[in-house]
Amino acid sequence: PPRSTLFPYTTLFRSFIITFCLSFYVQTKQARFNAIEMIRLKIADAKRQLLIAGENVESIRIMTRTEALAKARSFAALIAANPSLLQDRNSCEHLARILNVDQVHVSDANGILIASNDDVIGYDMNAAEQSRAFMPALKDKYFELVQEPRPRGIDGKLFQYAGVARQDKPGIVQIGFYPERLQQAMKIADIRNLAPGFRIGNNGLLVISRDDRIVSCEDNSFIDKPVFEFGISVSDLNSGRVFDVEIAGIHYLGLSEKYQDYTLTGLLPDDEMYLSRNAMTLFLIFCNLVIFGVVFILV
């Protein structure tokens, strides 16, 4: 056919190619930008969750310590007002119920337990490091101590104790309880539990590391292992820049940010990142083919 006849088709085809390439480039840049912003937002969300969980644990710890000390003081005041409350184990059981604690202990001037609602009468408080911490109460009438949950010296069970000096005579007054509420809060706040249930997009991942070793990720088999075994290089992890990485045969876009002693790394699969671009590209191809067909018929 004459060149003048082909001219509209070749011009339209070139326009289609140029438009397609330009649109593909712009959509690719936009999709990558949107993915980076999504990862940043998700990492910020993870930081907030860590902060809230930490604050909740600290609030419960403070509340528990304050409540425990108040109960220990009350116990000492009750004994000072009526020493006969310690006459037998049943009386101590009653006191424990009143104070809403699991254990009550009272020692003599030598630190030997003389009253309790548990089978520990005769235990020497100086016999183990945990219980020895309360011995200064024998000489200091203003002594007060609330321990963090730790294995007790009697049998190694995890307990939390609060103790004060006895008011009516030398001795140690103690209350103890199973730290279930604090343990439950700490379990919920455990950083190892954050990443497995955290999603970036539909199939993205969150990896939390400290000192270049993984502390939380979707696959628990990588816990405490170096990040490079997961597929992330240390240089990418600490660069603070966007990086591309392949993990288990899947290409990801990644970004790492520091938070306290941790590094939070967000990963989003390439196919998910370019999902909108691919859909727009197909739509653009369809529209251009329709336009091209219409013009072809008209010409």
Side-chain angles (χ1 to χ4, degrees):
R3 184 179 181 87
S4 59
T5 305
L6 295 176
F7 177 75
Y9 307 128
T10 55
T11 302
L12 184 62
F13 183 72
R14 287 170 184 168
S15 300
F16 167 70
I17 294 299
I18 292 172
T19 304
F20 172 77
C21 292
L22 182 60
S23 176
F24 187 84
Y25 173 78
V26 172
Q27 290 292 330
T28 300
K29 296 284 286 184
Q30 187 63 44
R32 189 175 178 88
F33 174 80
N34 291 341
I36 293 171
E37 289 304 303
M38 179 194 292
I39 294 173
R40 283 201 173 103
L41 287 173
K42 289 296 184 179
I43 290 177
D45 187 37
K47 289 179 180 179
R48 282 193 294 272
Q49 290 188 36
L50 288 173
L51 178 62
I52 292 171
E55 288 177 346
N56 288 342
V57 170
E58 187 59 27
S59 296
I60 292 174
R61 178 180 279 112
I62 292 172
M63 184 170 59
T64 301
R65 290 173 62 87
T66 303
E67 182 181 347
L69 189 56
K71 289 181 177 182
R73 291 169 179 163
S74 299
F75 185 30
L78 286 171
I79 297 171
N82 187 4
S84 64
L85 292 173
L86 304 177
Q87 59 185 342
D88 55 35
R89 182 167 176 172
N90 289 334
S91 298
C92 290
E93 286 280 6
H94 181 63
L95 285 170
R97 286 194 297 270
I98 291 175
L99 295 170
N100 192 27
V101 295
D102 296 304
Q103 287 190 347
V104 291
H105 301 319
V106 179
S107 82
D108 62 13
N110 297 313
I112 307 299
L113 294 186
I114 57 172
S116 174
N117 65 329
D118 199 0
D119 188 21
V120 292
I121 303 299
Y123 174 75
D124 186 354
M125 295 285 286
N126 199 39
E129 180 187 358
Q130 176 272 321
S131 54
R132 191 181 303 124
F134 293 93
M135 291 297 285
L138 299 176
K139 297 180 179 179
D140 181 3
K141 64 178 182 178
Y142 300 109
F143 177 84
E144 295 180 338
L145 173 65
V146 181
Q147 289 182 324
E148 290 295 315
R150 57 187 297 186
R152 61 182 185 176
I154 298 173
D155 53 15
K157 290 182 179 179
L158 189 64
F159 246 76
Q160 185 165 17
Y161 282 102
V164 298
R166 188 168 175 176
Q167 297 179 9
D168 54 330
K169 62 174 69 176
I172 304 169
V173 176
Q174 254 189 351
I175 60 97
F177 51 91
Y178 294 105
E180 293 177 353
R181 183 171 60 174
L182 181 59
Q183 283 182 295
Q184 185 64 27
M186 293 181 70
K187 183 178 180 181
I188 293 172
D190 192 341
I191 195 169
R192 290 176 296 182
N193 298 325
L194 176 60
F198 200 90
R199 280 287 175 271
I200 298 177
N202 293 323
N203 300 299
L205 306 173
L206 177 69
V207 179
I208 304 176
S209 57
R210 181 171 55 191
D211 298 328
D212 300 333
R213 303 186 76 87
I214 295 174
V215 296
S216 182
C217 69
E218 186 179 45
D219 188 347
N220 288 331
S221 65
F222 285 99
I223 301 299
D224 294 329
K225 292 184 178 179
V227 290
F228 70 81
E229 290 192 19
F230 188 78
I232 304 172
S233 70
V234 175
S235 59
D236 286 336
L237 188 73
N238 299 318
S239 67
R241 298 189 300 269
V242 178
F243 59 89
D244 295 284
V245 64
E246 181 177 342
I247 300 173
I250 301 176
H251 291 272
Y252 289 90
L253 178 73
L255 178 66
S256 295
E257 291 186 12
K258 298 288 186 181
Y259 177 72
Q260 296 179 353
D261 295 332
Y262 300 99
T263 301
L264 281 66
T265 303
L267 300 166
L268 184 69
D270 282 4
D271 58 354
E272 187 172 340
M273 173 174 60
Y274 294 126
L275 192 62
S276 61
R277 180 205 65 181
N278 295 341
M280 182 59 70
T281 299
L282 291 173
F283 177 74
L284 184 63
I285 291 174
F286 173 76
C287 290
N288 278 278
L289 287 175
V290 171
I291 294 172
F292 188 81
V294 171
V295 172
F296 177 80
I297 293 172
L298 292 175
V299 172

